[in-house]
């Protein structure tokens, strides 16, 4: 059903008003229009399938180009790869093939609005390759350079023909720049006291500066540091963002908004409060900073949120509410124990919108699972166990905090078994950092082996649509401030042929694409009594 059909139904309903009067007729017209609108709430517009083998999961990478379409990166052998461009109608645009050094793996990508930069490396090698792809005309340019061995990259960005890589080497933070014309790597900005990790990279275009955020632990204190660095590697400004004595800032990212405002957001916890040596999150913070000082730092405990605990049963909610009130009557706050993945900030009118997903790692031990959605996992370490040479949380800088590791990985026969997501929280803040509203979105048995953002949102006037994909289905919820416009709704992702039955879906994901369209992708094993079975990588264009 499309908008023309909606309009047709609307005008047909209007013509019936000649025979009806009063409020009943108006209600009938409105109901007809709303029913037609709901039918297009999530509609699969087009799907393409790429045949894959049984062991090809994670060999294809989707990079959205917004209203310019998308590219699919595929590693075709140990030494070759291909890049294919599709437009927004999923029509083939162009395809390129390229060569790699043997066993080089895809690490990360960065898009600067015009071009896409792909980073390849091998974990135990010092040879790196950056491939610049001009997505409009389909041209590649390759850059080779030597780097530090065993450099675990968490951030990769390109700006003004300089590539910037941030990560860890032997548990120490490393920031490197590479001049893409001269192919000269250069180590930048050290000298932090205590244990530190790089949280984010940003750019100050007006002053031509690189802005780097660090998460720092010194003694029992944990806080954020912001450094501004010129292209010669000199630190021109240094700013610390520190909470009150009782608290610690666990993670943080600095964002430069279009109006010049600079905000740091992340999660915080009570100073020294740990579960088996691992600091736990109490809530979210938002801080406004400038070049010289912190204008404000607002801490918001999850106990202040109206809907944070809605993922629990009513009995659990009532119990924790009593505990919160009991602590509040004594002038204190109930200490919580959560792990939180915070999204990038969204500026909407006069509000700042934050989204965070609550998760915990699961471990398998002789068919026994460890982990608790309320109290976390006693054996968790962000280092975890190697996955193809990289840490299991993937290249996610929100989790890149080496000081979070307590040094205890549990028992020898313990095996990491994925991240379990419990729920997401979405909240609105005013320009002074005060909490205005909040809402939540519960996940249904959602687990991944890479810590990444699963819920995606789209803002439309005062409404926010939240959506995530899991096992070939979409789950959606629409909220308006503290209120729920439409509750959790499950939608099947349509396949290509009549009679298809999806037997298995893995590594599926969804992303807001452009206009009112989302892009869903993943791997599926499908059987069909007429066409037999097939295993495919699918791309679905979905209208909301």
């Amino acid at each position: 059903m499309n908008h023309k059909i909606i309009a047709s139904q609307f005008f047909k309903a209007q013509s019936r008003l000649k025979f009806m009067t009063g409020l009943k007729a108006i209600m009938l017209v409105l109901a007809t229009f709303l029913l037609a609108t709901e039918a297009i709430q999530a509609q699969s517009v087009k799907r393409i399938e790429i045949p894959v083998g049984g062991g090809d999961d994670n060999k294809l990478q989707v990079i959205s180009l917004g209203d310019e379409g998308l590219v699919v990166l595929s590693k075709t052998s140990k030494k070759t790869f291909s890049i294919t461009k599709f437009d927004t109608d999923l029509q083939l645009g162009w395809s390129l093939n390229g060569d790699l050094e043997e066993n080089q793996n895809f690490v990360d990508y960065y898009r600067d609005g015009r071009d896409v930069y792909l980073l390849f490396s091998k974990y135990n090698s010092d040879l790196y390759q950056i491939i610049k792809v001009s997505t409009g005309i389909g041209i590649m340019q390759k850059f080779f350079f030597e780097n530090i061995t065993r450099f675990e990259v968490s951030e990769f960005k390109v700006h003004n023909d300089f590539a910037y890589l941030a990560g860890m080497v032997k548990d120490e933070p490393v920031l490197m720049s590479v001049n893409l014309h001269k192919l000269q790597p250069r180590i930048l900005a050290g000298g932090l006291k205590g244990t530190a990790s790089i949280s984010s990279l940003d750019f100050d275009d007006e002053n031509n500066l690189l802005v780097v955020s660090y998460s720092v632990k010194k003694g029992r204190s944990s806080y954020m540091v912001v450094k501004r660095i010129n292209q010669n590697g000199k630190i021109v400004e240094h700013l610390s963002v520190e909470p009150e004595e009782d608290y610690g800032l666990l993670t943080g990212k600095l964002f430069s908004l279009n109006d010049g405002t600079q905000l740091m957001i992340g999660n915080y916890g009570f100073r020294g409060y740990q579960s088996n040596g691992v600091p736990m999150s109490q809530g979210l913070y938002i801080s406004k900073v400038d070049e010289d000082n912190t204008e404000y730092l607002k801490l918001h405990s999850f106990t202040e949120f109206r809907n944070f605990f809605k993922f629990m049963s009513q009995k659990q909610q009532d119990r924790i509410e009593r505990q919160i009130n009991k602590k509040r009557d004594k002038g204190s706050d109930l200490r919580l124990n959560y792990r939180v993945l915070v999204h990038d900030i969204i500026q909407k009118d006069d509000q700042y919108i934050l989204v965070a997903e609550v998760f915990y790692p699961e471990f398998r031990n002789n068919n026994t699972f460890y982990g608790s959605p309320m109290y976390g996992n006693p054996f968790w370490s962000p280092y975890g166990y190697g996955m193809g040479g990289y840490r299991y949380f993937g290249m996610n800088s929100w989790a890149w905090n080496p000081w979070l590791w307590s040094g205890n990985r549990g028992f020898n026969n313990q095996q990491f078994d994925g991240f379990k997501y419990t729920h997401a929280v979405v909240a609105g803040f005013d320009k002074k950092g005060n909490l205005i509203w909040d809402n939540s979105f519960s996940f249904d048995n959602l687990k991944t082996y890479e810590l990444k953002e699963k819920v995606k949102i789209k803002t439309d006037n005062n409404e926010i649509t939240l959506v995530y994909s899991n096992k070939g289905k979409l789950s959606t919820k629409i909220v308006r401030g503290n209120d729920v416009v439409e509750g959790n709704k499950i939608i099947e992702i349509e396949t290509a042929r009549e009679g298809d039955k999806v037997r298995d879906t893995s590594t599926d994901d969804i992303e807001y694409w452009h206009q009112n369209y989302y892009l869903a992708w993943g791997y599926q094993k499908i059987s069909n009594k007429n066409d037999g079975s097939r295993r495919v990588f699918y791309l679905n264009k979905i209208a909301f």
Side-chain angles (χ1 to χ4, degrees):
M1 183 176 291
N2 56 33
H3 291 284
K4 291 182 179 179
I5 296 175
I6 294 173
S8 175
Q9 291 182 347
F10 184 82
F11 289 121
K12 286 179 180 178
Q14 275 192 319
S15 66
R16 291 198 292 269
L17 288 176
K18 296 179 181 179
F19 307 99
M20 306 172 66
T21 58
L23 181 61
K24 289 183 179 180
I26 297 173
M27 290 177 65
L28 178 60
V29 173
L30 181 60
T32 305
F33 181 77
L34 289 177
L35 284 171
T37 303
E38 185 176 3
I40 66 161
Q41 189 66 46
Q43 177 187 6
S44 184
V45 176
K46 188 170 182 179
R47 173 183 172 111
I48 61 174
E49 295 181 350
I50 302 172
V52 294
D56 287 342
D57 285 17
N58 302 317
K59 286 189 176 181
L60 288 91
Q61 174 79 31
V62 175
I63 301 174
S64 170
L65 305 177
D67 57 10
E68 295 180 18
L70 65 99
V71 293
V72 176
L73 172 66
S74 174
K75 190 172 182 182
T76 50
S77 74
K78 289 183 178 181
K79 300 181 69 172
T80 60
F81 69 93
S82 68
I83 306 173
T84 305
K85 164 79 179 297
F86 296 92
D87 64 18
T88 54
D89 292 322
L90 296 182
Q91 297 291 330
L92 179 64
W94 48 256
S95 185
L96 301 172
N97 296 313
D99 298 322
L100 296 169
E101 294 298 310
E102 188 170 3
N103 290 325
Q104 274 195 328
N105 294 314
F106 171 73
V107 177
D108 204 353
Y109 77 91
Y110 180 72
R111 183 178 180 232
D112 64 2
R114 298 172 304 168
D115 306 306
V116 171
Y117 297 84
L118 309 171
L119 176 64
F120 291 88
S121 77
K122 189 165 62 172
Y123 179 66
N124 59 355
S125 170
D126 61 357
L127 183 63
Y128 284 68
Q129 181 177 184
I130 294 175
I131 298 175
K132 177 182 178 181
V133 182
S134 299
T135 56
I137 55 179
I139 295 177
M140 287 193 302
Q141 186 178 2
K142 297 182 179 181
F143 306 92
F144 292 91
F145 62 95
E146 292 185 351
N147 199 347
I148 308 169
T149 58
R150 297 184 179 273
F151 183 20
E152 302 177 55
V153 179
S154 62
E155 289 276 328
F156 168 62
K157 291 188 176 181
V158 180
H159 187 69
N160 291 339
D161 294 322
F162 277 80
Y164 297 93
L165 289 77
M168 306 292 291
V169 176
K170 296 181 179 179
D171 301 338
E172 293 292 334
V174 173
L175 174 62
M176 175 174 290
S177 71
V178 182
N179 186 320
L180 295 182
H181 292 301
K182 299 179 181 180
L183 297 180
Q184 295 175 341
R186 181 176 185 175
I187 302 294
L188 303 176
L192 280 173
K193 294 182 179 180
T195 305
S197 63
I198 297 173
S199 295
S200 66
L201 302 179
D202 202 355
F203 303 103
D204 179 351
D205 288 320
E206 183 177 349
N207 299 298
N208 197 25
L209 297 174
L210 173 67
V211 184
V212 187
S213 302
Y214 293 82
S215 175
V216 182
K217 180 174 173 58
K218 185 180 180 183
R220 296 180 68 244
S221 300
S222 52
Y223 54 94
M224 301 300 300
V225 168
V226 179
K227 293 185 178 183
R228 297 173 184 274
I229 306 168
N230 63 25
Q231 282 195 342
N232 295 322
K234 182 180 179 181
I235 300 171
V236 297
E237 291 166 0
H238 180 113
L239 171 68
S240 293
V241 181
E242 302 186 40
E244 299 175 8
E245 186 176 352
D246 292 338
Y247 304 101
L249 305 184
L250 304 182
T251 63
K253 276 190 175 183
L254 186 70
F255 296 93
S256 298
L257 305 182
N258 292 334
D259 60 2
T261 300
Q262 294 187 89
L263 296 177
M264 178 169 283
I265 63 170
N267 62 316
Y268 79 95
F270 279 97
R271 181 177 179 179
Y273 182 56
Q274 301 179 342
S275 172
N276 198 50
V278 179
M280 293 292 113
S281 176
Q282 179 73 20
L284 303 176
Y285 73 86
I286 180 170
S287 177
K288 184 177 180 180
V289 302
D290 58 27
E291 290 83 354
D292 302 314
N293 56 62
T294 303
E295 184 173 323
Y296 64 72
L297 172 60
K298 300 289 181 72
L299 308 181
H300 297 282
S301 172
F302 292 132
T303 59
E304 301 174 15
F305 287 50
R306 292 178 57 176
N307 296 290
F308 182 83
F309 301 101
K310 288 292 179 69
F311 75 100
M312 298 178 174
S313 67
Q314 190 59 53
K315 185 177 180 180
Q316 290 174 318
Q317 291 181 54
D318 293 341
R319 182 175 63 194
I320 201 166
E321 186 66 28
R322 289 193 298 268
Q323 293 173 339
I324 291 171
N325 291 333
K326 186 177 179 180
K327 286 285 187 179
R328 192 172 288 156
D329 291 342
K330 295 180 180 180
S332 61
D333 193 10
L334 178 67
R335 296 198 173 193
L336 303 177
N337 188 349
Y338 288 99
R339 297 180 180 87
V340 180
L341 179 63
V342 187
H343 293 214
D344 292 353
I345 196 167
I346 298 171
Q347 186 175 14
K348 175 68 174 175
D349 300 325
D350 292 330
Q351 293 186 23
Y352 303 128
I353 298 173
L354 299 186
V355 179
E357 298 175 68
V358 182
F359 69 94
Y360 63 94
E362 283 191 332
F363 291 84
R364 183 193 297 270
N365 185 11
N366 294 329
N367 296 322
T368 302
F369 290 95
Y370 294 83
S372 164
M374 182 172 177
Y375 295 106
N377 186 289
F379 306 110
W380 178 72
S381 156
Y383 280 2
Y385 302 88
M387 290 273 193
Y390 292 101
R391 295 168 181 170
Y392 65 65
F393 54 74
M395 300 297 101
N396 194 305
S397 59
W398 285 106
W400 201 269
N401 289 296
W403 57 269
L404 290 181
W405 179 38
S406 65
N408 178 8
R409 299 184 185 217
F411 301 108
N412 291 332
N413 60 348
Q414 208 172 40
Q415 182 181 355
F416 171 70
D417 199 61
F419 293 101
K420 193 73 173 287
Y421 295 68
T422 59
H423 64 297
V425 59
V426 55
F429 301 82
D430 64 23
K431 290 197 171 183
K432 294 184 178 180
N434 300 308
L435 178 65
I436 305 173
W437 57 266
D438 71 271
N439 225 302
S440 64
F441 187 20
S442 297
F443 295 129
D444 182 17
N445 196 29
L446 177 61
K447 185 166 75 172
T448 69
Y449 283 88
E450 179 187 358
L451 184 57
K452 61 181 180 179
E453 298 173 6
K454 286 297 294 182
V455 67
K456 308 298 164 64
I457 78 168
K458 178 170 71 94
T459 60
D460 185 13
N461 295 323
N462 294 323
E463 294 182 357
I464 294 177
T465 300
L466 302 100
V467 57
Y468 73 92
S469 63
N470 188 30
K471 298 178 180 178
K473 299 178 181 179
L474 302 181
S475 296
T476 68
K477 184 177 182 177
I478 303 176
V479 301
R480 184 190 299 116
N482 292 309
D483 301 322
V484 176
V485 177
E486 180 180 272
N488 290 25
K489 190 174 180 181
I490 307 298
I491 303 160
E492 295 278 353
I493 296 178
E494 296 180 15
T495 57
R497 307 173 191 173
E498 187 176 350
D500 280 347
K501 290 186 178 180
V502 177
R503 300 301 184 185
D504 179 61
T505 300
S506 61
T507 57
D508 56 337
D509 212 337
I510 190 169
E511 183 173 316
Y512 172 67
W513 196 6
H514 69 107
Q515 295 178 356
N516 64 318
Y517 298 107
Y518 279 75
L519 181 68
W521 67 89
Y523 297 85
Q524 286 184 333
K525 184 178 180 180
I526 302 171
S527 65
N528 189 300
K529 62 181 180 180
N530 296 320
D531 301 322
S533 62
R534 65 188 190 275
R535 184 165 181 80
V536 301
F537 179 81
Y538 68 87
L539 292 164
N540 273 62
K541 179 180 178 180
I542 298 171
F544 271 82

